[in-house]
DNA sequence: AAGGTGACCAACCGCGGTTTT
DNA sequence: AAAAACCGCGGTTGGTCACCT
């Protein structure tokens, strides 16, 4: 499913994340936390925008993220909550541990929405006598045009039924077992040959960024500075490659 | 076998809200 | 108080796979 690689005007990479990028991001966030998404990619050695990093972390690299098919129970919860609160994916996600809002949103659009409209139409079509299935169009473009129309209609309906609810999406920073996530996503464990990332700017970040064995939550990092504004390093001395592998395995 | 279409999913974009300066 | 920076959310797009004709 590789998206074509491309770079935008400012040289930031777009498109599919590579295993290497995942490792860098996972390692960085697990070690230092996400104290500033916009700055993070620079220090993590990634040519990505902060938004992209945040999305990747929240949806795929975060510990305990659940991938794969939805259980019947999960489907029911989504259907029920969606009927109650509409497209509040982050709220719905909060009720489904391990599922990201993006994932739930995709799941809704690809399967639950159809089911939902089918159930709706079976309950009303006995009177109307015709199908309102919007997936009959012959081309993707037409289908999307139809979906846009459906969405507009849904919005009108939702505006009458939405109740205010606070977003409670969790900002992460549990830091365990990131490497397992990366591994499971890419289906392989690659030997790390380039674990030490030299960071180019500033006294703070001239410390090399070391991907170690992905430490625990307590290691999450909040930058601190001394009285002179000089960064106080949380880093331990650089490990040798052998030490690194030992700690990793 | 090849082309068309639907389904799925990863990722980008724009906007609004919140926090910081 | 205002502007800028940042964050999070929801909508949308585009690539790939699988199935059908």
């Amino acid at each position: 499913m590789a998206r074509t690689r491309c770079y935008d005007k400012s040289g930031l990479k777009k498109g599919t994340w590579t295993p290497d990028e995942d490792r860098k991001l996972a390692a960085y966030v697990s070690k230092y936390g996400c104290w500033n998404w916009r700055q993070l990619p620079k220090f993590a050695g990634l040519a990505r925008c902060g938004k992209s990093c945040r999305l990747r972390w929240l949806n795929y690299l975060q510990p305990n993220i659940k991938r794969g098919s939805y259980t019947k129970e999960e489907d029911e919860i989504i259907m029920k909550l969606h009927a109650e609160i509409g497209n509040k994916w982050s709220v719905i996600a909060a009720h489904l541990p391990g599922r990201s809002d993006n994932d739930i949103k995709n799941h809704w659009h690809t399967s639950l929405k159809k089911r939902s409209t089918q159930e709706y139409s079976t309950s009303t079509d006995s009177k109307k006598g015709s199908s309102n299935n919007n997936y009959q169009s012959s081309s993707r473009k037409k289908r999307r045009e139809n979906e846009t129309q459906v969405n507009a209609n849904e919005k009108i309906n939702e505006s009458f039924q939405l109740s205010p609810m606070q977003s409670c999406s969790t900002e992460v920073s549990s830091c365990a077992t990131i490497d397992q996530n990366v591994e499971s996503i890419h289906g392989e464990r690659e030997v790390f040959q380039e674990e030490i990332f030299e960071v180019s700017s500033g006294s703070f970040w001239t410390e090399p960024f070391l991907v170690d064995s992905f430490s625990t939550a307590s290691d999450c990092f909040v930058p601190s500075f001394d009285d002179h504004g000089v960064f106080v390093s949380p880093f331990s001395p650089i490990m040798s490659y052998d030490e690194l592998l030992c700690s990793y395995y």
Side-chain angles (χ1 to χ4, degrees), chain A residues 17-37:
Chain A
W17 281 68
T18 64
D20 189 51
E21 287 178 309
D22 279 347
R23 259 199 309 276
K24 285 182 181 178
L25 178 61
Y28 188 90
V29 176
S30 66
K31 186 151 190 170
Y32 306 119
C34 40
W35 51 278
N36 183 323
W37 282 115

Side-chain angles (χ1 to χ4, degrees), chain A residues 4 8 23 34 50 82 89 155:
Chain A
T4 49
D8 70 8
R23 259 199 309 276
C34 40
H82 187 269
W89 306 118
K155 273 183 181 168

Side-chain angles (χ1 to χ4, degrees), chain A residues 121 125 127-132:
Chain A
S121 62
D125 280 358
K127 293 182 181 174
K128 286 197 276 183
S130 66
S131 167
N132 62 350

Side-chain angles (χ1 to χ4, degrees), chain A residues 28-35 37 40 57-58 62-64 170-176 178 215-222:
Chain A
Y28 188 90
V29 176
S30 66
K31 186 151 190 170
Y32 306 119
C34 40
W35 51 278
W37 282 115
L40 188 148
W57 171 259
L58 290 180
Q62 207 183 148
N64 306 322
T170 50
E171 193 60 45
V172 183
S173 279
S174 163
C175 301
I178 312 289
S215 38
T216 61
S218 62
D219 291 333
C220 288
F221 167 67
V222 177

Side-chain angles (χ1 to χ4, degrees), chain A residues 108-234:
Chain A
W108 168 261
H109 284 301
T110 54
S111 26
L112 298 183
K113 187 175 171 181
K114 269 181 284 181
R115 200 198 297 179
S116 162
T117 52
Q118 275 168 8
E119 284 173 9
Y120 174 77
S121 62
T122 51
S123 68
T124 58
D125 280 358
S126 55
K127 293 182 181 174
K128 286 197 276 183
S130 66
S131 167
N132 62 350
N133 187 339
N134 288 298
Y135 288 80
Q136 298 293 324
S137 57
S138 60
S139 72
R140 173 187 281 185
K141 201 169 186 179
K142 276 190 178 176
R143 192 185 85 216
R144 289 212 163 120
E145 281 167 3
N146 285 340
E147 283 178 347
T148 305
Q149 184 60 50
V150 169
N151 288 340
N153 293 338
E154 281 176 353
K155 273 183 181 168
I156 291 168
N157 290 334
E158 283 168 14
S159 68
F160 288 102
Q161 69 182 23
L162 279 182
S163 59
M165 219 168 153
Q166 214 172 354
S167 168
C168 47
S169 68
T170 50
E171 193 60 45
V172 183
S173 279
S174 163
C175 301
T177 66
I178 312 289
D179 57 328
Q180 289 166 6
N181 274 3
V182 175
E183 181 186 0
S184 65
I185 289 164
H186 297 293
E188 59 183 350
R189 181 188 294 266
E190 294 170 13
V191 178
F192 295 3
Q193 293 287 357
E194 37 187 36
E195 308 299 354
I196 300 169
F197 309 112
E198 287 292 344
V199 187
S200 58
S201 64
S203 60
F204 170 15
W205 299 103
T206 50
E207 292 265 15
F209 166 42
L210 181 66
V211 179
D212 62 15
S213 55
F214 304 124
S215 38
T216 61
S218 62
D219 291 333
C220 288
F221 167 67
V222 177
S224 59
F225 299 83
D226 67 18
D227 294 337
H228 308 289
V230 176
F231 173 68
V232 179
S233 173

